[in-house]
Amino acid sequence: IEPRVAIAVVLFPMVFTNAWQVWRMGDITGALRRYIWFAGVLMIGVGVTTMLAAQASDRLIFAVTGMVIILFVAVNFLLSPPKLPDRYDRTAQIVMGTIAGIMGGLTAVWGPPMAIYLSARQVEKDEFVRVTGLLIFLGSLPLVAGYVVAGFLTLPLAAMSGALILPTLAGFALGERIRGNLPQAKFRKVLLYVFLVLGLNLIRRAIWNV
């Protein structure tokens, strides 16, 4: 299906699953205070880019989405950045938040800049989960607004997206249970290979339009 239709359909599940994740992790106020610059710049970037890129071609969206996903895989496989000192934290949040906002407004994927920043900050596992949930949730709000204003989130697509919330939450809960019974390193590697194939296929579609 068309990329904007695909993005529109996953908007409400994206909002609700990440809101749920943030709520369950707790310390929402503290996380927001720590990452306010990243969150603010991200939300502005997503909103502005969504509107400016309203006329972007499907091929461009396929290509950029594919490259972003491959970058995400590369970051997770290869990146081990040096620790980012506290004195550079605000600057890093603004820079990476801007990049994430541009990516998110065009493709609805802004994981790579978040992963690079949080890896450089060397946050512990629970904090990583809390922050990614918070930033995906906050970034999805202007994305939803932008899709409504641009006319991409029609009533039928909104209804379909809303209908997907319950099965998405069910899958989320089931996935957590399955994850507890699988070797984490193996599961992560398989998942990244799947994303790599998806990213390459999107680039193929951008080139051959098939």
Side-chain angles (χ1 to χ4, degrees):
I1 61 177
E2 296 175 0
R4 287 194 178 89
V5 173
I7 293 171
V9 168
V10 302
L11 285 176
F12 290 163
M14 182 190 303
V15 171
F16 278 86
T17 53
N18 285 285
W20 183 30
Q21 178 169 296
V22 172
W23 179 261
R24 293 175 65 217
M25 293 301 296
D27 191 26
I28 300 172
T29 303
L32 186 58
R33 188 182 301 114
R34 289 189 293 274
Y35 304 100
I36 188 65
W37 289 99
F38 199 120
V41 174
L42 169 67
M43 295 179 73
I44 294 170
V46 169
V48 171
T49 305
T50 300
M51 300 307 300
L52 292 179
Q55 303 304 318
S57 68
D58 288 353
R59 280 191 170 190
L60 176 62
I61 296 176
F62 278 135
V64 175
T65 306
M67 289 187 289
V68 169
I69 291 174
I70 290 173
L71 176 61
F72 176 78
V73 173
V75 166
N76 279 274
F77 264 133
L78 305 175
L79 187 67
S80 181
K83 181 176 175 58
L84 180 71
D86 292 343
R87 65 182 180 275
Y88 298 129
D89 183 57
R90 178 182 295 184
T91 300
Q93 288 194 41
I94 293 172
V95 171
M96 301 309 285
T98 300
I99 297 171
I102 295 171
M103 285 184 173
L106 187 59
T107 69
V109 179
W110 53 89
M114 285 195 312
I116 293 171
Y117 166 73
L118 293 174
S119 295
R121 291 297 291 164
Q122 297 183 6
V123 301
E124 52 94 21
K125 184 175 66 174
D126 287 346
E127 179 75 350
F128 188 95
V129 173
R130 178 184 296 108
V131 177
T132 53
L134 177 66
L135 293 178
I136 294 173
F137 168 71
L138 292 175
S140 64
L141 298 180
L143 187 63
V144 172
Y147 263 58
V148 170
V149 172
F152 298 139
L153 186 60
T154 62
L155 284 176
L157 289 178
M160 186 183 301
S161 185
L164 289 176
I165 292 174
L166 286 180
T168 302
L169 290 174
F172 196 92
L174 179 61
E176 284 189 329
R177 295 186 62 182
I178 295 174
R179 183 183 63 193
N181 297 318
L182 289 176
Q184 185 67 20
K186 183 177 181 180
F187 177 77
R188 175 176 172 274
K189 184 176 291 188
V190 170
L191 192 64
L192 289 175
Y193 278 124
V194 171
F195 275 118
L196 177 61
V197 171
L198 291 175
L200 291 173
N201 185 56
L202 287 172
I203 292 175
R204 177 193 65 80
R205 294 185 66 182
I207 296 172
W208 286 290
N209 197 30
V210 177

